Amino acid sequence: MNKNTVKKGVLPYLFLVLLIFGVYYLFSVLNQKVNVFTYNELMEVLDNGTVTEMSITPKSRAVVYEITGKLKDYQENEHFFIRVPLTDSVVKNILEAGSENEFKLTTNPDPESSSFWLIIVNVLPMILIIGVGFFLLTRQMNGANRSMDFGKSRARLSNDTNKVTFKDVAGLKEEKEEVSELIDFLKNPKKFTKLGARIPKGVLLVGPPGTGKTLLAKAVAGEANVPFYFISGSDFVELFVGVGASRVRDMFKQAKHTAPCLIFIDEIDAVGRQRGTGLGGGHDEREQTLNQLLTEMDGFGVNEGIIIMAATNRADVLDPALLRPGRFDRQVTVDLPDVREREEILKVHARNKVLAPSVKLEYLAKRTPGFSGAALENLLNEAALLAVRRNKDAITMSEIDEATDRVIGGPAKLSRKYTDHEKEVVAYHEAGHAVLGIKLPNADDVQKITIIPRGQAGGYTLMMPKEETYLATKSELLERITGLLGGRVSEEIRFKEVTTGAHNDFEKATKIARAMVTEYGMSDLGPVQLEQQEGGVFLGRDYNKSKNFSNEVAHEIDQEVRKIIDECYKKATKILKENQDLVKLIADALLEYETITKEQIDSLVETGHMPEEDAKVDTLAELKAKAKEKGIKGYTKMTKEELEEAMKENE
């Protein structure tokens, strides 16, 4: 336990005890009744014999005797007090006056003659004054030091108790092999220097957010068992020019004292962007910081045992001098995981989760293409939270399905009420997407359809690729556009009217069509790249494309994009008109069940009705009516799956 924490915990109780004693002492003093006598009054009570006890204390500094005592008629909290001159004759007269009476007499030594009390009375106040002054001065100096502490490095040294190794990093097999020689160098640098080999000074990890770049860097330091310094690129940049450069110098100075070690700079694009870019020119503080970083990376030798790793998802905006050999001369791409790697990642994050036997991580990995490692961890965490909310002992596929939907589209909007017409429009819209996904040969498999609103969507059709590929053919892109237009076409065929529900579909379809014309060379304009992403550093997204064409060609591009969209729209209309019965069948099933899965969709296509075990299942309205009869709380906000689970638990 931290000593400061212990002190902070004990001090309030100590203060409370002192306060209680202080209050008790104050009340005891205020309770005392003191009768101040004159010399004549004292002599009178001594002559009368009414004194029961008396105490005499000399005060040499004040040249007096302090006399206290009690009389026979005094109460317990009552006494008399008198000061008399410090002379032998006075004391002699007092003692002679009381010699004829018996009372308890106490004579005390002079407290001011004691060296201890002398120190307490005279030296202690000076010590207290000096101590308080020193304390205030120290605080002021510390505050000044903190205010001038701009140039110190913000790099944090990782704690050994949280050491990460390759066992904690699922997937990334090639990436681990790429950085494994860094571990060997950090463990045994002489092995490399003996043959004249030079280990890269800097390794740049490039990839989308959430793919495990930071985790991989921590694992390298954990495997090598060396100090790990972590800092973000934004920690270098300050208001005052020169502060970031000073922090860079201090960071490398600290690292040299603990070499061999690993320095990890996260989001290096915050400080490593190209110099002299932007509409308003450069940024003096950031550019000086970058210049100092470039100098330091050239300054330390190959044998100092310092390796720098950095992470970014915008390698295109980094300064070329930062990427030349001798600096960040090795780039490791950490991409989104494939199905095998997703299964391994799920196994790592499922270590501390209680999963039901029905949960198959292999099946879940196939259902989550495009998910990063962070997204998969979030998916399992959402499922665990749902299981706790539903008072379950283990995470089932019901929670996994709901968590997947939450990650993709957000939580279900159960409180959002559709009119019957709107609900029917959404059902036919999603049925149009699904039928095109079923009928088009190169389209993705339809996994799930729902008309429960999530986020900004009134419903959605979950479609997964038959197998993960890295290339897309022209026919696949055209069928993808056709599938996106299926919702609008289905609405138009059924209701002879269109709605605003397809705006996101149009956005995606137009983006694919324009990329086919201007980037992929998949149009009558030929294999020419007319637009390319420049990745401007400080410019807006609208300025990021380099346009290598005239106004006449721009008109031709618009015509080609429109031609692709129109052909796909006609194709979607033809297919949906030929399969109106299937569209109606799926739409009716959605209106009744709200959510249908792949197995149910396949049964509708093959047999024309839901599977036998599902045919007996009550509708959502019937389930809510039964839940009301059985007194199940919160049934009005439950989905069909949640109601079925609640009914089983109630039985």
Side-chain angles (χ1 to χ4, degrees):
M1 185 181 291
N2 193 344
K3 293 182 179 179
N4 293 331
T5 306
V6 174
K7 289 180 181 178
K8 290 179 181 178
V10 171
L11 284 176
Y13 295 102
L14 182 61
F15 176 76
L16 181 62
V17 171
L18 292 175
L19 182 63
I20 293 172
F21 275 109
V23 172
Y24 175 77
Y25 176 76
L26 181 63
F27 273 101
S28 64
V29 170
L30 294 175
N31 248 359
Q32 293 291 326
K33 183 179 180 182
V34 181
N35 299 317
V36 181
F37 281 6
T38 63
Y39 180 75
N40 291 332
E41 288 175 339
L42 177 62
M43 297 302 291
E44 183 180 348
V45 295
L46 286 171
D47 290 339
N48 295 339
T50 57
V51 177
T52 58
E53 60 180 74
M54 190 169 64
S55 174
I56 302 175
T57 304
K59 297 285 185 177
S60 58
R61 290 178 62 85
V63 198
V64 295
Y65 283 109
E66 288 185 354
I67 301 174
T68 60
K70 287 181 174 292
L71 302 183
K72 291 181 179 179
D73 57 347
Y74 276 9
Q75 297 179 1
E76 186 177 354
N77 63 337
E78 188 178 4
H79 66 274
F80 65 82
F81 175 79
I82 184 176
R83 284 193 178 96
V84 297
L86 187 63
T87 60
D88 293 339
S89 59
V90 172
V91 177
K92 184 178 180 181
N93 292 337
I94 293 172
L95 294 177
E96 286 178 354
S99 60
E100 297 179 0
N101 303 314
E102 292 184 359
F103 60 87
K104 183 180 179 182
L105 178 64
T106 305
T107 57
N108 300 318
D110 184 359
E112 296 178 356
S113 64
S114 170
S115 59
F116 174 75
W117 287 108
L118 184 66
I119 294 173
I120 293 295
V121 173
N122 297 290
V123 181
L124 185 60
M126 295 297 296
I127 294 175
L128 289 175
I129 293 172
I130 294 173
V132 171
F134 181 76
F135 172 73
L136 295 176
L137 182 63
T138 304
R139 285 194 62 182
Q140 188 174 3
M141 291 179 64
N142 288 338
N145 288 337
R146 283 195 296 270
S147 64
M148 298 302 293
D149 195 21
F150 291 114
K152 294 295 183 182
S153 171
R154 300 291 178 87
R156 299 181 296 276
L157 188 62
S158 67
N159 191 354
D160 289 340
T161 57
N162 299 324
K163 187 178 292 185
V164 178
T165 62
F166 280 167
K167 292 181 180 179
D168 303 307
V169 183
L172 303 180
K173 181 179 178 181
E174 291 77 12
E175 291 80 356
K176 291 177 186 177
E177 293 176 354
E178 191 71 15
V179 298
S180 60
E181 61 186 29
L182 302 180
I183 300 171
D184 293 339
F185 172 75
L186 290 170
K187 286 183 176 180
N188 186 15
K190 294 182 179 179
K191 174 182 175 182
F192 293 85
T193 57
K194 182 172 62 175
L195 297 179
R198 181 182 66 81
I199 289 295
K201 294 181 182 179
V203 177
L204 184 65
L205 304 178
V206 183
T211 51
K213 299 184 292 295
T214 303
L215 189 65
L216 181 61
K218 288 182 179 180
V220 171
E223 290 286 339
N225 196 24
V226 296
F228 177 76
Y229 290 93
F230 174 85
I231 191 170
S232 174
S234 59
D235 289 333
F236 290 112
V237 183
E238 268 291 353
L239 173 65
F240 303 105
V241 177
V243 173
S246 176
R247 288 178 180 172
V248 172
R249 288 191 295 268
D250 189 63
M251 179 182 70
F252 279 92
K253 181 180 178 182
Q254 291 181 22
K256 289 175 184 177
H257 290 317
T258 57
C261 64
L262 181 68
I263 299 175
F264 178 68
I265 305 175
D266 198 10
E267 304 297 344
I268 194 173
D269 52 277
V271 70
R273 291 175 181 262
Q274 296 177 18
R275 290 167 288 185
T277 53
L279 293 175
H283 186 291
D284 288 339
E285 161 62 3
R286 183 180 55 78
E287 291 190 2
Q288 284 197 19
T289 306
L290 175 58
N291 291 336
Q292 187 63 46
L293 180 62
L294 297 174
T295 303
E296 290 291 340
M297 292 189 71
D298 271 342
F300 65 87
V302 294
N303 296 326
E304 290 192 6
I306 301 175
I307 292 179
I308 302 178
M309 296 186 75
T312 182
N313 50 19
R314 292 295 308 276
D316 56 314
V317 304
L318 295 180
D319 195 277
L322 198 62
L323 303 178
R324 74 154 176 82
R327 288 174 181 146
F328 285 103
D329 44 12
R330 177 176 295 183
Q331 291 190 28
V332 178
T333 301
V334 185
D335 212 340
L336 293 171
D338 58 19
V339 61
R340 177 187 54 80
E341 291 174 330
R342 289 197 298 273
E343 184 178 355
E344 294 177 6
I345 293 171
L346 288 169
K347 287 179 180 178
V348 169
H349 294 304
R351 290 175 183 172
N352 60 340
K353 306 285 191 304
V354 181
L355 301 178
S358 60
V359 176
K360 304 298 181 184
L361 296 181
E362 180 182 358
Y363 171 67
L364 181 58
K366 293 178 180 178
R367 287 188 53 188
T368 52
F371 276 50
S372 66
L376 293 171
E377 191 275 335
N378 186 43
L379 188 153
L380 288 181
N381 185 62
E382 286 287 346
L385 293 174
L386 285 169
V388 173
R389 198 179 304 166
R390 296 174 180 177
N391 297 318
K392 291 188 176 181
D393 297 328
I395 302 171
T396 65
M397 281 305 299
S398 175
E399 285 76 43
I400 295 289
D401 289 338
E402 175 65 19
T404 306
D405 293 340
R406 279 172 170 263
V407 173
I408 294 174
K413 302 285 186 179
L414 300 175
S415 60
R416 184 185 295 175
K417 299 299 181 184
Y418 280 147
T419 64
D420 292 339
H421 176 68
E422 285 178 328
K423 194 173 183 180
E424 187 178 3
V425 169
V426 174
Y428 272 88
H429 181 103
E430 300 303 331
H433 287 308
V435 170
L436 288 176
I438 294 168
K439 295 300 180 180
L440 292 172
N442 295 315
D444 296 338
D445 284 339
V446 181
Q447 298 288 332
K448 183 179 184 180
I449 316 172
T450 180
I451 58 173
I452 298 174
R454 291 182 180 274
Q456 298 297 320
Y460 74 93
T461 301
L462 181 63
M463 303 177 70
M464 297 297 175
K466 298 179 176 66
E467 57 182 359
E468 293 187 37
T469 59
Y470 295 96
L471 298 175
T473 63
K474 181 179 179 180
S475 60
E476 288 174 347
L477 293 177
L478 290 173
E479 290 189 0
R480 193 175 299 171
I481 296 173
T482 305
L484 289 168
L485 299 174
R488 164 59 68 86
V489 173
S490 180
E491 292 178 23
E492 191 175 9
I493 293 174
R494 174 67 177 84
F495 302 101
K496 311 301 180 187
E497 185 63 87
V498 294
T499 67
T500 60
H503 70 283
N504 185 249
D505 298 332
F506 293 158
E507 179 184 351
K508 294 178 181 178
T510 306
K511 186 176 180 180
I512 296 172
R514 189 169 187 86
M516 290 175 65
V517 176
T518 61
E519 297 181 40
Y520 306 147
M522 295 179 178
S523 70
D524 293 340
L525 295 182
V528 180
Q529 189 178 49
L530 300 171
E531 291 180 348
Q532 60 182 2
Q533 298 289 337
E534 285 292 330
V537 182
F538 291 110
L539 303 180
R541 292 183 181 273
D542 293 341
Y543 299 95
N544 281 359
K545 286 188 176 181
S546 173
K547 299 179 179 180
N548 302 318
F549 50 81
S550 62
N551 292 334
E552 290 79 7
V553 176
H555 178 64
E556 292 181 14
I557 291 173
D558 293 338
Q559 287 182 324
E560 287 296 322
V561 172
R562 182 178 294 276
K563 179 181 176 182
I564 292 174
I565 297 293
D566 288 344
E567 288 178 355
C568 291
Y569 197 89
K570 291 177 182 177
K571 185 175 182 180
T573 304
K574 180 176 181 296
I575 294 174
L576 291 182
K577 283 185 176 179
E578 293 173 353
N579 295 276
Q580 287 189 53
D581 293 339
L582 182 57
V583 173
K584 185 178 186 305
L585 187 63
I586 294 176
D588 291 342
L590 284 172
L591 289 171
E592 182 178 358
Y593 295 96
E594 291 189 332
T595 300
I596 54 178
T597 62
K598 178 176 172 54
E599 293 76 13
Q600 294 168 331
I601 295 169
D602 292 341
S603 178
L604 287 172
V605 174
E606 294 172 5
T607 65
H609 56 77
M610 297 289 280
E612 292 296 329
E613 60 271 16
D614 292 322
K616 300 176 183 179
V617 176
D618 297 322
T619 63
L620 181 63
E622 292 171 340
L623 282 172
K624 287 184 177 180
K626 290 183 179 180
K628 183 179 180 181
E629 293 176 1
K630 295 188 176 183
I632 296 175
K633 295 181 180 180
Y635 71 93
T636 57
K637 296 183 178 180
M638 291 185 183
T639 62
K640 188 172 183 296
E641 292 81 1
E642 291 173 343
L643 281 169
E644 291 173 347
E645 291 285 342
M647 297 288 283
K648 290 179 182 178
E649 292 176 2
N650 185 269
E651 292 173 357

